């Protein structure tokens, strides 16, 4: 396991038990983001870096009983909290690295990723891996329940022009990784980027 992976597991593992209590207001933002994602009944969707599984219920509601919902996370403690909350009833949980998913090419219709991009060790390569598991024309949502400026303020730092999630950086990065950005929203109450799998 790489140093990046160890750091991510240590960071989130130590916070897993209190994660949902720390961010109790986020549920409506997740539901709204999933609604805007445009999933259809029967779709196969992955919540990449699912954490405690807060997106699983809205994803299940969107794809219905005929759809497939998977939640993958690198941190066992986060998946344990998802199970403790009963969210594994909404989708199958996988202990897996979003940079090396145990899925065949084109297996999915869509990937939802909340808060994931800031924790990817090689964003271009890792977004390419998400593209690999999605069929051509399938979709990607990069989401965070607060915008970039609010998140930076929460962490006591300033936004800089080289911020990966800035539109002028993220658009070209996604294009190099097999995605075409179709919408970009960076507001106080949410960050939501939608993209379509090229090819």
């Amino acid at each position: 396991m790489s140093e990046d992976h160890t750091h991510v597991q240590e960071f989130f593992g130590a916070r897993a038990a209190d994660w949902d209590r720390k961010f109790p207001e986020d549920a409506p933002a997740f539901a709204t983001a999933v609604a805007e994602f445009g999933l259809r009944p029967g779709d196969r969707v992955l919540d990449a870096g699912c954490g405690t599984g807060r997106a699983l219920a809205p994803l299940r509601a969107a794809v219905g009983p005929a759809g497939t919902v998977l939640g993958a996370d690198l941190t066992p403690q986060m998946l344990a909290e998802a199970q403790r909350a009963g969210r594994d009833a909404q989708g199958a949980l996988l202990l897996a690295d979003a940079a090396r998913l145990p899925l065949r090419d084109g297996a999915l219709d869509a990937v939802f990723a909340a808060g994931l991009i800031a924790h990817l060790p090689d964003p271009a390569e890792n977004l390419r891996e998400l593209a690999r598991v999605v069929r051509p024309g399938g979709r990607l949502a990069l989401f965070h329940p607060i915008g970039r400026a609010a998140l930076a303020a929460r962490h006591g730092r300033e936004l800089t022009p080289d911020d990966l999630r800035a539109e002028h950086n993220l658009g070209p990065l996604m294009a190099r990784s097999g995605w075409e950005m179709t919408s970009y929203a960076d507001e106080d109450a949410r960050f939501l980027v939608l993209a379509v799998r090229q090819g």
Side-chain angles (χ1 to χ4, degrees):
M1 189 159 50
S2 76
E3 187 175 325
D4 287 316
H5 290 149
T6 303
H7 173 73
V8 167
Q9 283 187 325
E10 287 174 354
F11 180 88
F12 286 104
R15 291 161 176 79
D18 293 323
W19 194 259
D20 287 353
R21 285 192 293 278
K22 190 172 178 184
F23 304 109
E25 312 295 319
D26 287 352
F30 274 81
T32 299
V34 170
E36 289 185 37
F37 195 15
L39 295 169
R40 294 176 299 242
D43 276 354
R44 300 156 299 169
V45 61
L46 168 69
D47 183 0
C50 68
T52 61
R54 293 178 295 169
L56 296 179
L59 290 171
R60 170 56 66 197
V63 304
T68 299
V69 177
L70 303 173
D73 202 275
L74 188 63
T75 306
Q77 297 94 322
M78 282 289 193
L79 294 176
E81 289 301 317
Q83 286 180 308
R84 194 167 289 120
R87 293 175 181 143
D88 54 332
Q90 307 299 327
L93 299 176
L94 307 171
L95 180 62
D97 181 0
R100 261 189 324 279
L101 291 163
L103 299 169
R104 61 180 170 75
D105 294 0
L108 303 171
D109 297 296
V111 172
F112 184 86
L116 178 70
I117 191 158
H119 301 286
L120 295 175
D122 183 346
E125 187 59 36
N126 303 151
L127 287 169
R128 202 168 292 121
E129 170 67 356
L130 297 183
R132 179 189 69 77
V133 300
V134 173
R135 63 170 175 78
R139 284 154 296 146
L140 171 67
L142 300 177
F143 169 69
H144 202 285
I146 60 174
R148 292 187 310 125
L151 186 62
R154 178 187 284 175
H155 293 294
R157 59 180 174 76
E158 303 233 344
L159 280 180
T160 60
D162 64 347
D163 179 12
L164 179 67
R165 289 164 290 191
E167 187 172 10
H168 64 268
N169 295 325
L170 189 56
L173 170 67
M174 295 181 81
R176 292 193 306 273
S177 304
W179 298 100
E180 179 187 352
M181 185 188 294
T182 57
S183 71
Y184 181 94
D186 180 19
E187 303 153 4
D188 284 346
R190 68 160 185 173
F191 176 86
L192 181 62
V193 172
L194 303 179
V196 173
R197 168 78 163 86
Q198 297 170 343

